[in-house]
């Protein structure tokens, strides 16, 4: 049975709706923390915003890796589905991800962030936007989205470091270990595996430009668009992998310092953890 692609206008509305929902959640968390948490009021405005962004992700973003996993299993079976198949689960996840990126970009613009944050979010919006608009490569978009499995631990670590609550606790150590494992599996190993599979499909000539009505009801995107997407996607993934490798080194250093027992306030483990968490945030 042919898969039906949602109307572009509906997908755009979904992206804007998700961004607005994130903004509303941001205002709600900010008001709650300001009225209930004394430590929050002592933070600089940019740290307050960073704290709220992580709380919002834990509220609305936890579904992302689950949706991406389900969409990946739905579309992996045939070459036609991998390249031209559409999935309502993938559309749900991609519109959520784009809306989240638009919301975070607005927060970064308000409180100031490095250029790399904006570049990363631009790559997400462009690649996922093309996939949504043309109804193509949903499988590849979903599988690269599995890197979101590292974000729950990253957000928890950020909240611990910003608030100062739970420093040196078993929660922080367990969360740090889980972050290291997740980073290793879905980023350090997972992204090169994605690139290998992507290149195998492209260079092997197994995929086809022909319209297969059993895979999609509408005609596929123009060949020039598909080739542009096939080039942009691996370039973006390679960029994220390179950044991930740099921050994985810092995460590893922070974890090793914590294991050695260097947990004094302002000690090397504390500083390394803060640098690693702030750096890894760029990979989100």
């Amino acid at each position: 049975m042919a898969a039906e692609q949602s109307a572009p206008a509906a997908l755009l509305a979904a992206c804007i709706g998700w961004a607005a929902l994130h903004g509303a959640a941001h205002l709600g968390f900010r008001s709650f923390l300001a009225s209930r948490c004394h430590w929050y009021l002592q933070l600089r405005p940019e740290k307050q915003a960073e704290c709220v962004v992580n709380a919002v992700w834990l509220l609305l973003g936890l579904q992302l890796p689950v949706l991406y996993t389900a969409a990946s299993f739905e579309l992996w079976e045939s070459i036609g589905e991998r390249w031209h198949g559409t999935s309502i689960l993938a559309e749900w996840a991609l519109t959520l991800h784009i809306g989240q990126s638009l919301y975070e970009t607005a927060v970064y613009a308000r409180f100031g962030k490095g250029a790399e944050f904006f570049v990363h979010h631009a790559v997400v919006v462009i690649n996922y936007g093309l996939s949504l608009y043309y109804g193509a490569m949903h499988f590849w978009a979903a599988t690269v989205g599995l890197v979101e499995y590292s974000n729950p631990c990253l957000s928890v670590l950020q909240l611990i470091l910003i608030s100062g609550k739970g420093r040196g606790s078993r929660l922080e150590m367990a969360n740090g270990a889980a972050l290291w494992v997740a980073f290793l599996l879905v980023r350090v190993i997972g992204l090169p595996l994605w690139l290998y599979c992507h290149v195998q499909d492209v260079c092997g000539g197994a995929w086809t430009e022909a319209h297969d009505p059993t895979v999609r009801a509408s005609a596929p995107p123009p060949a020039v668009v598909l080739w542009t997407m096939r080039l942009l996607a691996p370039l973006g993934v390679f960029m994220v992998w390179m950044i991930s490798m740099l921050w994985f080194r810092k995460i590893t250093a922070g974890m090793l310092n914590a294991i050695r027992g260097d947990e004094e306030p302002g000690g090397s483990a504390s500083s390394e953890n803060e640098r690693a968490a702030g750096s890894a945030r760029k990979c989100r």
Side-chain angles (χ1 to χ4, degrees):
M1 182 177 179
E4 294 288 345
Q5 178 190 0
S6 298
L11 295 172
L12 177 60
C15 293
I16 296 174
W18 279 119
L21 182 59
H22 278 72
H26 185 103
L27 295 176
F29 271 119
R30 187 179 67 180
S31 176
F32 174 83
L33 291 172
S35 63
R36 301 293 182 89
C37 302
H38 180 67
W39 58 264
Y40 177 79
L41 299 175
Q42 296 177 326
L43 299 174
R44 299 191 307 273
E46 60 272 20
K47 283 297 182 180
Q48 290 181 347
E50 191 173 347
C51 178
V52 173
V53 165
N54 282 283
V56 170
W57 194 95
L58 289 172
L59 175 67
L60 298 175
L62 280 176
Q63 60 186 305
L64 265 180
V66 178
L67 290 169
Y68 280 136
T69 301
S72 300
F73 278 106
E74 185 178 0
L75 297 171
W76 77 277
E77 289 189 1
S78 72
I79 294 166
E81 286 180 326
R82 288 201 295 273
W83 290 98
H84 301 295
T86 59
S87 163
I88 188 64
L89 293 173
E91 289 182 344
W92 183 358
L94 293 174
T95 55
L96 168 57
H97 206 151
I98 291 175
Q100 183 184 88
S101 296
L102 294 175
Y103 148 74
E104 291 188 356
T105 300
V107 176
Y108 296 161
R110 169 66 177 82
F111 294 97
K113 281 287 186 179
E116 63 273 19
F117 286 88
F118 295 96
V119 171
H120 175 265
H121 280 63
V123 169
V124 169
V125 171
I126 291 171
N127 279 290
Y128 282 0
L130 287 172
S131 182
L132 276 174
Y133 182 80
Y134 288 105
M137 296 179 62
H138 280 196
F139 169 80
W140 300 106
T143 47
V144 77
L146 297 178
V147 298
E148 296 297 308
Y149 275 111
S150 64
N151 284 352
C153 294
L154 177 58
S155 288
V156 170
L157 177 59
Q158 287 274 5
L159 291 172
I160 290 174
L161 294 175
I162 294 172
S163 69
K165 307 297 182 181
R167 293 307 313 274
S169 65
R170 292 182 180 180
L171 171 63
E172 184 184 14
M173 295 192 67
N175 183 77
L179 174 62
W180 187 88
V181 172
F183 229 79
L184 175 67
L185 293 178
V186 300
R187 292 182 180 271
V188 176
I189 297 175
L191 292 177
L193 181 60
W194 185 98
L195 287 168
Y196 172 79
C197 294
H198 185 274
V199 171
Q200 282 289 101
D201 258 16
V202 173
C203 295
W207 51 271
T208 176
E209 304 288 351
H211 175 212
D212 182 358
T214 65
V215 173
R216 59 185 292 136
S218 58
V224 64
V225 173
L226 279 176
W227 273 108
T228 300
M229 294 170 66
R230 289 180 186 130
L231 290 173
L232 284 178
L235 285 175
V237 169
F238 181 74
M239 180 192 76
V240 173
W241 179 69
M242 291 294 291
I243 296 173
S244 297
M245 289 297 294
L246 293 174
W247 309 141
F248 181 68
R249 177 177 176 273
K250 294 188 177 183
I251 291 171
T252 301
M255 186 179 70
L256 290 176
N257 284 334
I259 291 174
R260 295 188 189 107
D262 183 7
E263 284 296 337
E264 292 298 321
S268 62
S270 175
S271 301
E272 196 69 46
N273 281 340
E274 290 177 7
R275 288 195 296 269
S279 299
R281 187 82 171 85
K282 301 173 186 177
C283 302
R284 292 241 310 217

